Amino acid sequence: MIVDAHLDIGWNAIAEGRGFLGPPAPRYLISRSALTSAGVGLICATLYTAPARARRAMRTRFVYEDAHEAYIMAVAEVNYYRSCGLHLIRDAGELDAYVRNWKRGQIAAVLLMEGADPIETPSQLGAWTDMGLRIVGPAWSRTRYSGGTGAPGGLTELGVQLLKAMRRKRVILDLSHMADQAVADAFELWRGPIMCSHSNARAIVPGDRQITDATAAEVARRGGILGISFYPSHLRKKGRTTLDDVVRHALRLARASGGPEHVGLGTDLDGGIDSRYGPMRHLGELKELPRKLRRHFSAAQVEGIMGTNWIGFLSRSLP
């Protein structure tokens, strides 16, 4: 079973009209049928909302001006996943039963919030976990909780309160998009399960969107997993991307973290990636990745990167 720890399916359906149940939209890769045909059986389906300041960069009018608007938008995405009949995994027992009985053609999801502004106050987190939310990334750009990509800063006072609430509710912390100071603050404060759903090696592609070797090592020390993004600008600074770039980041993150058992996939392939610029023209090409990884890793290690590393982490980390 292949596991993909980051897909913005709800956002793309509601904001962009690229539905999950039909075939992939022209020049895009992700749909339910495309995923299952490629052997993907488990995903982290995101609740992503765009702040008003992202209107121009994201080329969208589907933005929020305040926390309540963000809340409404994210709830709409939860309802979209339900309308698709997407099986939402809520605890370790459900996950283990699903994995044991999985057959090709089935797909399930763990809900991940990318940017925590839809959580209007930390006291509202319980309502979100009741809806199935199990992973929270406090930042995208800057949020009320954390500095983020292109927006330096640490955890805010509200962010500290959110992490405490997450620990009480056994919610997993996703460091992707968090600014360096916010990551440092989280390492000092957080004692729960931790991951990077879609963050590549800064040593290969400079910039605050990527993670440092030190961050990779600390996430691994705490038992976490590092998901490789397939987003073109995350894979290389310039030029056309290929699956060889994915392998390059896998090698670097494996070295930085102490081994490939801390590496997985978090493709972000439904995060607005036009297939003309990404590393694959269609999702069927994903079958080529294990062969390329096998040049550098054992068969068991490749199986881990493609899925079992995430399954093990989630089995340990979900309620």
Side-chain angles (χ1 to χ4, degrees), residues 22-42:
R27 303 195 312 275
Y28 291 88
L29 303 181
I30 300 300
S31 70
R32 184 176 193 137
S33 60
L35 288 167
T36 56
S37 295
V40 178
L42 182 66

Side-chain angles (χ1 to χ4, degrees), residues 59 68 128 151 157 203:
R59 298 186 298 280
H68 188 59
W128 282 104
E157 183 177 343

Side-chain angles (χ1 to χ4, degrees), residues 55-126:
R55 182 181 284 110
R56 181 175 297 177
M58 296 290 290
R59 298 186 298 280
T60 181
R61 292 180 293 176
F62 192 61
V63 298
Y64 64 87
E65 299 281 353
D66 56 42
H68 188 59
E69 289 184 359
Y71 167 84
I72 292 169
M73 292 162 67
V75 170
E77 292 179 17
V78 174
N79 290 333
Y80 179 77
Y81 291 130
R82 289 174 175 163
S83 76
C84 291
L86 187 60
H87 179 196
L88 300 182
I89 299 289
R90 292 173 175 263
D91 58 47
E94 278 188 29
L95 175 65
D96 292 344
Y98 174 74
V99 171
R100 280 198 311 273
N101 297 308
W102 179 76
K103 296 177 182 176
R104 195 180 184 96
Q106 296 176 320
I107 193 163
V110 178
L111 278 187
L112 182 160
M113 184 176 285
E114 181 179 23
D117 275 344
I119 303 171
E120 294 179 90
T121 69
S123 63
Q124 193 189 60
L125 182 62

Side-chain angles (χ1 to χ4, degrees), residues 281-294:
R281 308 289 87 80
H282 58 84
L283 206 59
E285 294 178 39
L286 193 58
K287 67 179 183 295
E288 298 297 320
L289 182 57
R291 178 178 59 80
K292 291 177 177 290
L293 289 168
R294 191 67 178 84

Side-chain angles (χ1 to χ4, degrees), residues 52 100 107 125 129 148 155 157 186 192 205 231 239 288 301 311:
R100 280 198 311 273
I107 193 163
L125 182 62
T129 57
L155 290 173
E157 183 177 343
V205 180
Y231 203 86
E288 298 297 320
Q301 289 169 337
I311 291 169

Side-chain angles (χ1 to χ4, degrees), residues 143-197:
T143 63
R144 293 173 300 117
Y145 296 103
S146 174
T149 300
L155 290 173
T156 64
E157 183 177 343
L158 204 62
V160 171
Q161 294 175 25
L162 177 63
L163 262 61
K164 291 178 179 178
M166 288 169 58
R167 190 71 186 107
R168 290 192 296 270
K169 292 292 184 180
R170 297 192 65 182
V171 173
I172 299 164
L173 174 63
D174 182 6
L175 296 180
S176 289
H177 279 292
M178 290 175 70
D180 288 348
Q181 184 57 55
V183 169
D185 292 345
F187 283 151
E188 185 173 344
L189 175 68
W190 184 252
R191 294 297 177 267
I194 195 167
M195 58 182 268
C196 293
S197 65

Side-chain angles (χ1 to χ4, degrees), residues 9 11-20 25-26 28 30 80 270-273:
I9 290 166
W11 159 263
N12 282 294
I14 295 173
E16 304 294 337
R18 297 199 293 270
F20 187 51
Y28 291 88
I30 300 300
Y80 179 77
D270 210 28
I273 300 175

